[in-house]
Amino acid sequence: MTSSRPRVIAVAMQKGGVGKTTSTINLGYHLAEEGLAVLVIDADQQAHSTSGLGVELGDDDASLYEVLHRERQMRVPLREAIHSTAFGLDLVPADLALKELETGGLGPGGQMRLARQLDEVTDYDVVLIDCPPALGSMTEAALAAADDVLAVLEAGPDEIRALIRLGEAVMDVQDGLNPDLEIRFVLLANYEGGTRVAQSVRDGLVRDWGAWDAGGAYLGEIPHTIRVREAKDRAVPVAVHAPTSSAAVAYKDAAKRVAERVRA
Ligand SMILES: Nc1ncnc2c1ncn2[C@@H]1O[C@H](COP(=O)(O)OP(=O)(O)OP(=O)(O)O)[C@@H](O)[C@H]1O
Ligand SMILES: [Mg+2]
């Protein structure tokens, strides 16, 4: 499957440590397994998608920082910053320099720079952007460039409020830069189903966002399992580390669902 502009999905949640990066890597892996051409863009200065996909930057390698550089003569086209990985998908890596862009360093027109760069990209079906845990410049640039938001949540007590806040940020972007943007996927990651709070967050999400099979946005849960942490330590997708683990199976199912909508 090839298209003109790829379907661009921002994997976002301003709350830290909820499973954005894990979900980006593992959904990306399974989307590629589904036969889609997948590019992951690591938009977080922590560069955890980059390390998690086993990519190490050499001194001369461009990262997203150079792609979005405020000075035109320093800028590198997105396609020149693409690295292949061992897992059937490609990556535009992040590095710590992105911190400068996060704090106002994108300069004039910066908010749309990623979107413009993605207009030039034609050889991918899906682009997943791993956003940092903040509603700052990088997340805004990702939202401006995206077709859809995939919101990642953990089943904590203040998650629903965080999701509402993300929805407001999406509305702000709709008003100006990107009228068609919507949260079209909601994923509950790192799910410990045995607790009452987890179950009530899950039930609330199904009620508010709609069950997937009924045409809603709720993609499902990814169970908490030590296999995810082990896979991270090995810098491989969980399906490579432990293919029959509950999280690997759940990410595969979720990716099938995302692929359905991308192909539709
Ligand atoms: N299903 C899971 N089972 C067990 N551990 C998990 C699971 N999902 C994520 N984790 C762990 O939780 C931690 C946070 O996950 P991750 O880095 O994906 O979150 P994040 O939202 O990207 O964080 P940040 O906001 O810092 O970017 C990681 O150590 C990860 O290995
Ligand atoms: Mg992350």
Side-chain angles (χ1 to χ4, degrees):
M1 185 177 159
T2 46
S3 53
S4 41
R5 194 183 195 264
R7 179 81 169 249
V8 180
I9 302 175
V11 181
M13 180 50 64
Q14 66 277 13
K15 204 162 174 278
V18 295
K20 292 178 287 296
T21 299
T22 305
S23 299
T24 302
I25 291 171
N26 289 290
L27 290 174
Y29 175 81
H30 290 288
L31 285 167
E33 241 191 9
E34 288 284 312
L36 296 170
V38 178
L39 176 66
V40 165
I41 297 180
D42 190 348
D44 185 1
Q45 57 184 274
Q46 301 178 93
H48 288 160
S49 278
T50 302
S51 53
L53 285 165
V55 172
E56 279 180 43
L57 283 194
D59 286 344
D60 296 331
D61 287 336
S63 77
L64 187 63
Y65 174 72
E66 283 79 18
V67 175
L68 298 181
H69 204 285
R70 63 183 292 150
E71 289 174 46
R72 199 173 278 272
Q73 66 273 22
M74 301 289 286
R75 224 173 278 160
V76 167
L78 188 116
R79 87 187 94 80
E80 287 177 30
I82 293 174
H83 289 241
S84 56
T85 72
F87 309 110
L89 67 159
D90 291 349
L91 172 78
V92 174
D95 65 28
L96 201 53
L98 280 175
K99 192 174 180 170
E100 177 192 319
L101 305 185
E102 190 65 88
T103 51
L106 274 170
Q111 232 83 66
M112 287 306 288
R113 202 165 292 139
L114 182 58
R116 298 259 151 68
Q117 290 276 358
L118 281 168
D119 288 340
E120 313 289 309
V121 172
T122 53
D123 21 12
Y124 295 95
D125 300 308
V126 191
V127 174
L128 298 177
I129 307 176
D130 182 17
C131 294
L135 289 172
S137 299
M138 292 308 299
T139 298
E140 275 178 34
L143 295 182
D147 298 293
D148 318 288
V149 176
L150 191 159
V152 180
L153 292 149
E154 237 179 21
D158 53 348
E159 304 294 319
I160 301 298
R161 228 172 309 140
L163 184 53
I164 290 169
R165 179 72 197 92
L166 178 62
E168 289 166 355
V170 169
M171 279 187 244
D172 289 342
V173 175
Q174 281 171 347
D175 283 343
L177 304 168
N178 190 355
D180 296 329
L181 185 69
E182 265 181 56
I183 299 175
R184 291 198 179 82
F185 307 99
V186 175
L187 182 67
L188 191 47
N190 208 356
Y191 183 71
E192 295 186 82
T195 71
R196 191 170 301 176
V197 67
Q199 282 164 17
S200 96
V201 169
R202 182 198 168 276
D203 294 347
L205 289 174
V206 173
R207 187 185 60 229
D208 295 346
W209 291 87
W212 187 264
D213 292 336
Y218 182 65
L219 270 175
E221 310 89 55
I222 309 296
H224 172 86
T225 151
I226 188 68
R227 300 289 169 240
V228 170
R229 189 55 198 268
E230 290 169 358
K232 181 186 173 182
D233 291 343
R234 282 183 60 194
V236 301
V238 65
V240 170
H241 173 62
T244 59
S245 65
S246 55
V249 171
Y251 271 121
K252 188 184 172 78
D253 286 347
K256 279 204 173 115
R257 293 175 160 190
V258 174
E260 259 169 44
R261 295 253 166 116
V262 166
R263 289 195 169 106

